Amino acid sequence: MKKMFDHSRQGLVALVSFLVVLAAWEALVHLLKVRPIMLPPPSAIFKELISEPVWYAGHAWYTLLTTMAGFVLSVVFGVAIAMLLVGSRWFESAVYPLIIAMNSVPKVAIAPLFVIWMGTGAEPKIAIAFLIAVFAIIVDTVHGLRSVPGDILDMGRVLKGSTLDFFFKVRLPCALPSILTGMKVAISLALVGAIVGEFVSSQRGLGYVIMSAQGTFDTARVFAAMFLLSLMGIVLFGALAWIEKRATPWRVPQ
């Protein structure tokens, strides 16, 4: 009961803080007579959102799908690559420098190549979302797999289980908190990647909404799309935080 009360209180504080910021924003825009093209008040942004809710929902859904596709691919391939890096020193020596080099390249610079290779559909957006998110999964998973306590490693050697059994029944469960931490980082990065892909070439998605609104100096529409992106990011991060609490109750206080 106390935990539920604490969560409710935290949610209420966050909501009140958000409403205070919006009220201050609205008041300052009117008091300082800021031009709407420079900074629209929250009331204008809300009016823009409710003017075409179905249209905005369609673009938000497209961005969500490409984000989730890139995120799921990053988790699958990221965990698999991390397992190979930990399990094989040869693979680590050969591949890890390449992974670091690829992560160092600005994704905006290579986004046009994905459009050339894959066309203007959803594929390049998914590829960019995957490429931006996968490094966080790899790094955190490798860290988790290598952070198994020494006493657990000793117990595994005493029991003389197979290397594969030990890996999947001991190392992977011990690495789960780190993997979930990487996933929380990766979901935000995947959303950024999807938007980058939509900036480069798209006729759908919230990134497209922002770029088209920029061309017509429709600042309220830009802020409306940004609000939906922020809301999407909060919901996705919150969903993973909820999964983390359920999957690792011994690590995350509830």
Side-chain angles (χ1 to χ4, degrees):
M1 189 69 180
K2 184 178 180 299
K3 293 177 182 177
M4 186 180 299
F5 175 76
D6 289 340
H7 287 310
S8 301
R9 185 174 61 182
Q10 290 173 2
L12 182 61
V13 170
L15 178 61
V16 170
S17 301
F18 179 69
L19 292 176
V20 168
V21 170
L22 290 183
W25 179 355
E26 183 84 24
L28 286 173
V29 166
H30 289 295
L31 286 173
L32 300 176
K33 294 182 172 56
V34 180
R35 296 170 59 197
I37 195 173
M38 299 299 295
L39 182 65
S43 57
I45 298 169
F46 179 72
K47 189 182 297 184
E48 170 64 28
L49 279 170
I50 63 175
S51 66
E52 298 180 273
V54 176
W55 185 78
Y56 276 107
H59 286 290
W61 180 248
Y62 180 83
T63 298
L64 177 63
L65 290 179
T66 54
T67 299
M68 290 306 299
F71 171 71
V72 170
L73 287 175
S74 72
V75 172
V76 173
F77 283 93
V79 172
I81 292 170
M83 290 166 60
L84 291 172
L85 290 171
V86 173
S88 171
R89 290 194 176 277
W90 176 88
F91 187 82
E92 180 183 14
S93 300
V95 175
Y96 205 40
L98 296 177
I99 294 173
I100 295 173
M102 280 296 298
N103 187 65
S104 302
V105 178
K107 305 307 179 290
V108 177
I110 61 176
L113 287 175
F114 285 114
V115 176
I116 294 172
W117 294 336
M118 301 179 185
T120 58
E123 292 83 0
K125 290 82 173 173
I126 295 172
I128 297 167
F130 160 78
L131 198 61
I132 292 180
V134 71
F135 188 73
I137 299 292
I138 293 173
V139 170
D140 281 300
T141 304
V142 168
H143 171 74
L145 292 173
R146 287 179 173 164
S147 299
V148 180
D151 53 347
I152 295 179
L153 292 174
D154 293 338
M155 183 179 66
R157 295 188 187 99
V158 170
L159 294 176
K160 296 181 179 180
S162 69
T163 303
L164 207 59
D165 283 342
F166 183 74
F167 192 91
F168 283 101
K169 294 180 180 178
V170 178
R171 278 193 181 274
L172 206 55
C174 287
L176 187 58
S178 293
I179 295 173
L180 289 167
T181 299
M183 289 171 63
K184 289 196 296 184
V185 175
I187 192 65
S188 299
L189 294 176
L191 182 58
V192 171
I195 295 300
V196 168
E198 290 172 4
F199 280 170
V200 174
S201 175
S202 184
Q203 296 298 314
R204 297 174 65 188
L206 293 174
Y208 162 75
V209 172
I210 292 172
M211 292 302 291
S212 60
Q214 174 195 2
T216 58
F217 296 95
D218 192 345
T219 314
R221 178 162 289 189
V222 172
F223 273 93
M226 289 170 57
F227 172 78
L228 291 177
L229 284 172
S230 300
L231 182 62
M232 190 183 301
I234 291 171
V235 170
L236 291 174
F237 186 90
L240 284 173
W242 182 86
I243 292 171
E244 181 183 31
K245 288 182 179 181
R246 297 302 179 273
T248 58
W250 66 91
R251 291 291 301 273
V252 183
Q254 297 189 37

